């Protein structure tokens, strides 16, 4: 299997080198308008000017991946691959008080993958809108409203699940299937099921970037995936003593990778504290692994934010052997380990998600 995966990684650049992407479109009455191709929150990688109501972007396809077409303030998600894409830009107007504000609508035509990506984004958008409504509901909302929002969220999640299953089960030759497995199903399915879904993909998909990234993620999940035994390690505490993860066996343990310089890590602290206080007496412990490289920064942050749980650090920054062991590519990263040493949740973010995960094993 390792040899097979290695061959896939070697062959992929050769396959891609012969490919171009081609995006054509029409934009009536928009001569001079710039059309940009970019990744989310990144600088454009290509652009074209509308001339005689038409435009064209064509270049080497270095990687198959989701991208964004940007026209003015309008954004449209596409899958950049070797198949031609046709985009129609239409000017529309909407009223805002006494003002008429022009905007652009984008319509995408392409192969089956473009259609699947649009369907996936539609269910994701619906799920995110319901989540936003729930987060904004607050205490002032009545019980009936909250129950309605909760029911809507459950329904949106179920629609997402059904669509994801439909995509991966009926589209073996689809780049979007690889994206769905990697970005969505990997959060809740076992490593064995994910590996079976990967093996069902066509060689074309496996050889392209979405398939390669999925394969690499599966290798990583063998260490950090749900159901896996957490890899043991030993690091030093702030007072210079050694602490081994397996010494905490019998407790539910949140393995928390963080750093004193990490803003998102610091923002997680209040919620993590509340969960710790709620479940600590029920057998819940936190072991924070810092990616700091200066001891004073690490210990001062522990004192400043009054973090009462267990702490260890190698003082090697990103070269921390435990971070490498757990394939940590960014912080914060939190894994929940049960009393038997099995990983029961990963990619935990936010107090609500953490509380729900810990509450299932600390009752």
């Amino acid at each position: 299997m390792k040899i097979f995966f290695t061959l896939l990684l070697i062959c992929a650049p050769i396959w891609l080198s012969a490919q171009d992407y081609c995006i054509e479109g029409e934009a009536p009455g928009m001569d001079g308008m710039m059309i940009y191709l970019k990744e989310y929150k990144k600088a454009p990688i290509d652009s074209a000017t509308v001339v005689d109501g038409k435009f064209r972007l064509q270049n080497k396809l270095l990687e198959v991946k989701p991208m964004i077409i940007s026209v003015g303030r309008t954004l449209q998600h596409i899958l950049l691959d070797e198949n031609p894409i046709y985009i129609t830009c239409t000017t529309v107007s909407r009223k805002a008080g006494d003002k008429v504000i022009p905007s652009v609508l984008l319509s995408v035509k392409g192969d089956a993958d473009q259609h699947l990506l649009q369907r996936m984004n539609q269910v994701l958008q619906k799920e995110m809108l319901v989540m936003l409504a729930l987060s904004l509901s607050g205490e002032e909302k009545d019980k009936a409203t909250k129950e309605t929002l909760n029911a809507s969220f459950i329904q949106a999640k179920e629609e997402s699940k059904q669509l994801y299953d439909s995509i991966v089960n009926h589209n073996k030759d689809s780049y979007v299937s690889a994206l769905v497995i990697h970005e969505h199903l990997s959060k809740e399915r076992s490593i064995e099921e994910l590996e079976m879904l990967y093996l069902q993909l066509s060689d074309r998909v496996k050889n392209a970037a979405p398939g390669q990234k999925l394969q690499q993620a599966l290798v990583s999940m063998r260490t950090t995936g749900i159901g896996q035994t957490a890899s043991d390690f030993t690091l030093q505490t702030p007072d210079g003593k050694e602490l081994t993860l397996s010494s905490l066996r019998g407790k539910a343990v949140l393995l928390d990778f963080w750093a004193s310089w990490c803003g998102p890590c610091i923002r997680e602290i209040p919620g993590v504290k509340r969960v710790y206080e709620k479940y600590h007496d029920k057998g819940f412990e936190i072991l924070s692994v810092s990616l700091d490289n200066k001891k004073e920064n690490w210990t001062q942050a522990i004192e400043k934010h009054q973090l009462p749980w267990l702490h260890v650090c190698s003082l090697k920054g990103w070269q921390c052997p435990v971070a490498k062991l757990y394939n940590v590519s960014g912080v914060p990263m939190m894994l929940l380990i049960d009393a038997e040493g099995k990983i029961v949740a990963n990619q935990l973010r936010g107090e609500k998600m953490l509380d729900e995960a810990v509450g299932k094993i600390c009752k």
Side-chain angles (χ1 to χ4, degrees):
M1 182 64 74
K2 288 184 178 178
I3 295 174
F4 177 63
F5 283 150
T6 302
L7 288 174
L8 286 181
L9 295 174
I10 293 173
C11 292
I14 299 173
W15 181 86
L16 286 175
S17 64
Q19 305 293 311
D20 276 7
Y21 65 79
C22 181
I23 304 170
E24 294 183 298
E26 57 181 82
M30 300 183 200
D31 285 9
M33 178 78 78
M34 293 298 298
I35 312 293
Y36 294 103
L37 175 66
K38 63 182 182 179
E39 290 187 70
Y40 181 62
K41 289 188 176 180
K42 291 188 178 181
I45 66 166
D46 201 355
S47 63
T49 305
V50 178
V51 177
D52 295 331
K54 298 184 182 298
F55 62 90
R56 179 186 178 92
L57 299 99
Q58 184 169 3
N59 215 322
K60 288 295 181 184
L61 177 63
L62 301 178
E63 181 180 334
V64 175
K65 58 184 173 182
M67 297 287 286
I68 290 173
I69 291 290
S70 171
V71 184
R73 295 185 177 181
T74 303
L75 306 177
Q76 177 65 52
H77 293 269
I78 63 168
L79 182 71
L80 192 68
D81 61 11
E82 73 277 14
N83 296 304
I85 301 170
Y86 197 84
I87 296 176
T88 303
C89 306
T90 307
T91 303
V92 296
S93 298
R94 62 181 179 85
K95 278 192 172 184
D98 296 331
K99 294 182 179 180
V100 177
I101 302 175
S103 60
V104 178
L105 290 180
L106 303 181
S107 174
V108 177
K109 290 183 179 180
D111 64 350
D113 266 345
Q114 300 300 332
H115 176 64
L116 289 175
L117 185 72
Q118 289 179 44
R119 290 180 63 198
M120 184 180 78
N121 284 333
Q122 285 170 357
V123 298
L124 276 174
Q125 185 178 35
K126 181 177 180 180
E127 190 176 321
M128 289 174 64
L129 287 173
V130 177
M131 286 179 65
L132 178 61
L134 275 170
S135 66
L136 296 175
S137 61
E139 295 298 325
E140 68 277 4
K141 295 293 183 182
D142 58 72
K143 183 178 178 181
T145 300
K146 287 190 174 182
E147 288 179 350
T148 300
L149 287 173
N150 282 324
S152 296
F153 179 69
I154 293 171
Q155 181 182 353
K157 290 287 290 184
E158 181 60 26
E159 288 178 6
S160 298
K161 179 182 180 298
Q162 290 177 5
L163 179 61
Y164 296 155
D165 286 340
S166 176
I167 289 175
V168 300
N169 289 328
H170 298 99
N171 300 275
K172 313 298 186 185
D173 191 38
S174 166
Y175 298 130
V176 176
S177 289
L179 293 173
V180 168
I181 298 169
H182 186 189
E183 297 177 9
H184 302 290
L185 299 188
S186 63
K187 298 177 181 179
E188 55 189 35
R189 306 292 174 91
S190 69
I191 182 67
E192 290 78 15
E193 183 176 357
L194 295 171
E195 286 176 343
M196 287 299 298
L197 291 172
Y198 169 81
L199 291 172
Q200 293 172 12
L201 296 173
S202 70
D203 288 345
R204 181 183 77 101
V205 175
K206 290 175 183 173
N207 289 348
Q212 290 182 13
K213 290 180 179 180
L214 172 58
Q215 184 266 322
Q216 291 164 0
L218 293 175
V219 172
S220 174
M221 286 180 65
R222 274 296 175 187
T223 302
T224 62
I226 294 173
Q228 302 302 304
T229 299
S231 299
D232 203 13
F233 62 85
T234 301
L235 281 180
Q236 287 194 342
T237 63
D239 58 5
K241 296 179 181 179
E242 290 190 340
L243 177 61
T244 300
L245 174 64
S246 58
S247 69
L248 302 176
R249 192 66 57 84
K251 296 182 177 181
V253 178
L254 180 69
L255 186 57
D256 167 41
F257 291 91
W258 75 299
S260 65
W261 43 259
C262 170
C265 300
I266 304 305
R267 288 193 290 273
E268 291 275 356
I269 286 175
V272 174
K273 272 188 175 182
R274 285 189 286 269
V275 174
Y276 178 78
E277 292 167 358
K278 181 177 180 180
Y279 294 104
H280 182 55
D281 291 340
K282 298 179 180 180
F284 176 56
E285 188 55 83
I286 298 177
L287 177 57
S288 285
V289 180
S290 171
L291 299 192
D292 281 286
N293 53 22
K294 292 184 178 180
K295 185 172 182 177
E296 58 270 26
N297 293 345
W298 170 43
T299 55
Q300 286 172 10
I302 294 172
E303 183 177 354
K304 176 182 177 181
H305 299 289
Q306 300 180 19
L307 310 181
W309 48 79
L310 302 173
H311 295 269
V312 291
C313 185
S314 68
L315 298 178
K316 295 181 179 179
W318 285 108
Q319 298 307 309
C320 172
V322 179
K324 290 185 175 182
L325 178 65
Y326 279 85
N327 301 294
V328 177
S329 59
V331 287
M333 173 180 163
M334 292 185 280
L335 305 171
L336 184 61
I337 304 167
D338 68 12
E340 285 72 46
K342 299 285 187 181
I343 297 172
V344 294
N346 53 25
Q347 302 184 48
L348 292 169
R349 292 294 295 271
E351 181 179 356
K352 185 174 186 296
M353 183 183 293
L354 178 59
D355 189 295
E356 290 177 352
V358 177
K360 289 179 181 178
I361 58 175
C362 293
K363 298 179 180 179

